Structures are given as structure tokens and as C-alpha cells.
Amino acid sequence: ALCARAAALMPRFSGQEAATLAYAMARLGVRHEAVLESLVRHVAMLRILRALQGQDVAGLVWALATFRYKKGRIFHHLRRQLQRDRVLSRVRVRHGLMCAWAFVRMDEADDKLIERLAEKMLMGPSELLELVLEDPQEAEGQQAWESEEDKMAAMDDGEDDEESLLREWEAAADV
């Protein structure tokens, strides 16, 4: 009932609210086709799409990739929004990793996107691809991914440098 109501109210949602809903659904493992379809249609509207920030794009692509939901050109539109300088310049490491993982998982990553995300995270494109291809969600199961999410969330208030990121990923690999 809640999902049906969310789908009906989607036209009233901001891009950030839609992204938050998608992320929450994916974290809870609640896949509801009507909500996903209305969410994708809503986010694809130019006024909503252009208002999305890096964190919003990260939450959306991560959720859609978690559900392996690929209809229409939503990943194309979200990739273009992410690559806008005003959006990419504000992407934190955690969100950059979420985006890279999602675009690679859905076979929607292009060289330009990977290069720009890698540059943002102070690493080379091959290092970034190696990092996201480890895919802690599939390799260790959902619990390990949630643990990694918690660790990455803690970084949001701290440093976003390569050394901190590598320490966190190494610690997660030991879990």
C-alpha cells in the first residue's frame, strides 16, 4: 500500500526525494515495479534531472543497479547529469564509488565517466575499475555491503583522500 501511494505521489517528489526513496527501497530490498517505473519516468523529466546533485545520482544509480533495473535511457541521462562539472565537482568519494559500481554493473560505464570519477578520487581509471569490480555486495553478501556502506558513510564527515579510502576498503576486505 505504501509503495502504491508513493507511485501515485511521485509527480510531487523533488529529485532528491525520488533518489532517497529509490535508495531506501534498495537498502530494504523492496522492489516494486510501479514505483520504479514512475520514479524513472519522473527523474527523466528535464527539470527534475537537472536539479539532481551527485549524492542524488549516486543513490539512484546504486538503487537501480542493485535491482538490475534498466528500462529506457535512464542510465544515459543520469551519466550525463553526473558528468556536468557543477555536479561532479561536489561528488564525495563514497558517492563516486557507488556511481562507478552501478554504471559498471549495468554495463553503462564509458571511459570518460570512469576517467573523471577516478580523477576525482585521486586514482587511475584501472585502479577504480579494479576496486569496483571486487563488488563486495556479490562477493560477501548483503551484510558485508551494508558494513562497507556504514564505513564509507563515516568517511563523509572526514577526509576524502585516497589513503583513507584505501584503508577503509582494505579493512572491509578483512571482514
Side-chain angles (χ1 to χ4, degrees), residues 136-150:
Q137 185 175 18
E138 290 178 359
E140 301 293 333
Q142 185 66 28
Q143 185 176 11
W145 179 256
E146 289 171 3
S147 172
E148 183 59 24
E149 279 289 301
D150 295 340

Side-chain angles (χ1 to χ4, degrees), residues 11-166:
R12 296 182 184 176
F13 282 27
S14 69
Q16 183 180 25
E17 291 166 337
T20 301
L21 175 63
Y23 182 80
M25 288 174 60
R27 291 282 295 182
L28 294 171
V30 176
R31 182 184 175 118
H32 192 277
E33 291 299 315
V35 173
L36 291 172
E37 287 177 22
S38 69
L39 189 140
V40 166
R41 272 194 316 274
H42 182 64
V43 169
M45 293 173 25
L46 191 57
R47 70 178 174 78
I48 300 295
L49 184 65
R50 291 286 170 100
L52 295 175
Q53 296 299 316
Q55 180 177 347
D56 305 327
V57 173
L60 279 165
V61 297
W62 182 85
L64 295 173
T66 297
F67 290 132
R68 294 194 182 270
Y69 187 89
K70 186 176 180 179
K71 293 188 179 177
R73 296 174 40 98
I74 191 63
F75 279 91
H76 169 79
H77 296 307
L78 292 170
R79 182 177 55 244
R80 289 190 62 198
Q81 178 65 8
L82 180 63
Q83 289 178 329
R84 298 169 75 76
D85 288 333
R86 71 170 178 78
V87 176
L88 189 60
S89 67
R90 295 184 181 149
V91 170
R92 292 179 170 264
V93 170
R94 172 181 184 236
H95 302 124
L97 285 170
M98 289 170 65
C99 288
W101 175 83
F103 282 108
V104 167
R105 179 180 177 122
M106 298 303 289
D107 198 29
E108 289 284 339
D110 61 19
D111 290 342
K112 183 179 178 182
L113 174 68
I114 295 300
E115 286 171 14
R116 294 199 65 200
L117 286 170
E119 180 181 307
K120 175 74 180 159
M121 291 182 274
L122 306 173
M123 61 179 71
S126 60
E127 293 171 299
L128 176 59
L129 285 174
E130 185 177 315
L131 196 60
V132 299
L133 289 174
E134 289 177 5
D135 194 355
Q137 185 175 18
E138 290 178 359
E140 301 293 333
Q142 185 66 28
Q143 185 176 11
W145 179 256
E146 289 171 3
S147 172
E148 183 59 24
E149 279 289 301
D150 295 340
K151 289 177 184 177
M152 297 302 285
M155 287 180 58
D156 278 352
D157 295 328
E159 304 172 67
D160 277 351
D161 64 354
E162 181 180 10
E163 188 177 16
S164 297
L165 175 65
L166 291 175

